[in-house]
Amino acid sequence: MNSVNKIFEKELLVKSTTDNLAIIRDFIKSAANQSGFSEDSTGKIILAVDEACTNIIKHAYKYSPEGNILIKIKFNDAKFSISITDDGSHFDPNKVPEPDLREYYKQKRVGGLGMFLIKKLMDEVNYSTLSGNKNQVILVKYLSN
Amino acid sequence: MAEFNVNLRDVGSVSVIDVKGYLDAHTAPELENIFNKLLVERQFKVVVNFDELKYISSAGLGVFMAYVETMRENKGDIKFSNMKENVYNIFDLLGFPILYEFYKEEKEAVHKFGDQG
């Protein structure tokens, strides 16, 4: 199978509820499989997208179920790119500190691990603000890795 | 819908929580309920058996972080057993092995509480 010749785009629009995380994971899984990623890499991509969407549900929409989450996947030339867009509250990713587990332990803090995981799991992560007050994060994984 | 099941059983003086399926932001509250129940019962020695857990996100990891110190303050702990490699890798990525004990078998984890008296 020559994966380099495979080019596709897919999209999924869901409401900002945690029960949709399973639907999102299934959507990512089938696209990553189609692209030829190993089970291990597919698992990493699924978790990164789950974390990004969980952050949107929790922080951008503050658990309001009426928000939209738009997920677009592009696969081209061994580059698997997932853009996730919401129109909830903005946040500055540079203001989120890297977690220190020992500090977390002392403070009984339980949040903030998601962004750290996303960075570890993906090859590229890019947060931006789009016109129309939308937030976007683009996650990239290369097939060769 | 994410499938997740949590079951609580006693092995001697230790509470064993079996987790099964997918532990994410949607299902983590079910696990929190179990921990809250243990606190009410003042049961602080806990082993979590991950044998049938297929998936965990940081929302699930956060539950253990939220309760472990209370357990330790009361001479208990949360110990982990039977974890699949893909699940362990996530714990490892976040540095959990520094702060938590992981065992291959549930029996070893349960016995460890016995050793501590």
Side-chain angles (χ1 to χ4, degrees):
Chain A
M1 206 160 40
N2 187 354
S3 57
V4 179
N5 291 333
K6 277 191 274 180
I7 296 173
F8 64 80
E9 290 190 24
K10 286 172 190 290
E11 79 177 57
L12 175 73
L13 176 67
V14 290
K15 289 290 175 192
S16 52
T17 58
T18 53
D19 59 343
N20 282 327
L21 291 170
I23 293 167
I24 292 166
R25 290 195 299 266
D26 286 345
F27 171 69
I28 298 297
K29 186 179 185 176
S30 80
N33 284 341
Q34 191 183 336
S35 307
F37 282 101
S38 66
E39 199 182 324
D40 184 52
S41 295
T42 299
K44 287 179 178 172
I45 300 168
I46 290 170
L47 179 56
V49 174
D50 175 322
E51 296 292 345
C53 293
T54 298
N55 278 345
I56 290 169
I57 293 165
K58 265 169 126 170
H59 303 297
Y61 290 122
K62 299 181 174 64
Y63 291 107
S64 152
E66 292 304 316
N68 287 323
I69 301 175
L70 177 64
I71 303 171
K72 286 186 183 178
I73 297 173
K74 273 188 201 169
F75 183 66
N76 191 357
D77 201 15
K79 183 181 182 181
F80 190 81
S81 167
I82 309 131
S83 84
I84 308 168
T85 311
D86 68 81
D87 34 30
S89 313
H90 295 292
F91 86 111
D92 183 350
N94 299 317
K95 286 187 180 157
V96 181
E98 289 231 335
D100 177 329
L101 199 65
R102 287 180 191 279
E103 283 304 309
Y104 270 58
Y105 177 78
K106 280 185 222 151
Q107 299 166 9
K108 296 195 188 180
R109 271 192 64 185
V110 294
L113 299 174
M115 277 185 69
F116 176 75
L117 268 180
I118 294 167
K119 234 201 284 186
K120 289 258 183 187
L121 296 167
M122 300 302 288
D123 295 328
E124 291 170 19
V125 183
N126 195 350
Y127 295 89
S128 59
T129 304
L130 305 181
S131 62
N133 263 355
K134 290 182 189 296
N135 307 304
Q136 186 176 65
V137 57
I138 297 177
L139 311 176
V140 175
K141 192 90 178 162
Y142 292 96
L143 189 55
S144 51
N145 293 355
Chain B
M1 288 293 285
E3 282 173 51
F4 178 71
N5 263 296
V6 57
N7 175 57
L8 183 61
R9 58 194 161 87
D10 292 332
V11 178
S13 64
V14 178
S15 296
V16 177
I17 302 174
D18 296 295
V19 285
K20 184 176 177 179
Y22 296 78
L23 180 52
D24 65 4
H26 189 64
T27 59
E30 289 179 51
L31 182 59
E32 280 171 2
N33 289 343
I34 293 286
F35 275 105
N36 288 335
K37 189 174 168 223
L38 291 175
L39 292 188
V40 169
E41 293 169 358
R42 301 194 56 76
Q43 179 52 251
F44 305 112
K45 295 176 181 176
V46 182
V47 171
V48 184
N49 185 323
F50 284 82
D51 189 41
E52 293 186 84
L53 194 83
K54 291 184 179 157
Y55 175 86
I56 191 162
S57 73
S58 68
L61 298 166
V63 178
F64 304 115
M65 288 169 67
Y67 291 93
V68 70
E69 210 191 345
T70 308
M71 301 307 182
R72 289 177 184 170
E73 282 165 0
N74 289 282
K75 295 181 180 169
D77 194 10
I78 301 172
K79 301 183 196 294
F80 301 136
S81 82
N82 301 73
M83 209 177 271
K84 301 261 190 301
E85 197 186 342
N86 67 317
V87 171
Y88 176 78
N89 287 344
I90 308 307
F91 279 88
D92 191 31
L93 213 51
L94 289 170
F96 271 68
I98 304 169
L99 292 166
Y100 293 79
E101 295 172 18
F102 294 76
Y103 298 91
K104 269 206 170 105
E105 300 293 333
E106 177 189 311
K107 224 199 259 179
E108 295 171 62
V110 170
H111 281 168
K112 208 73 191 169
F113 280 113
D115 295 348
Q116 291 162 358

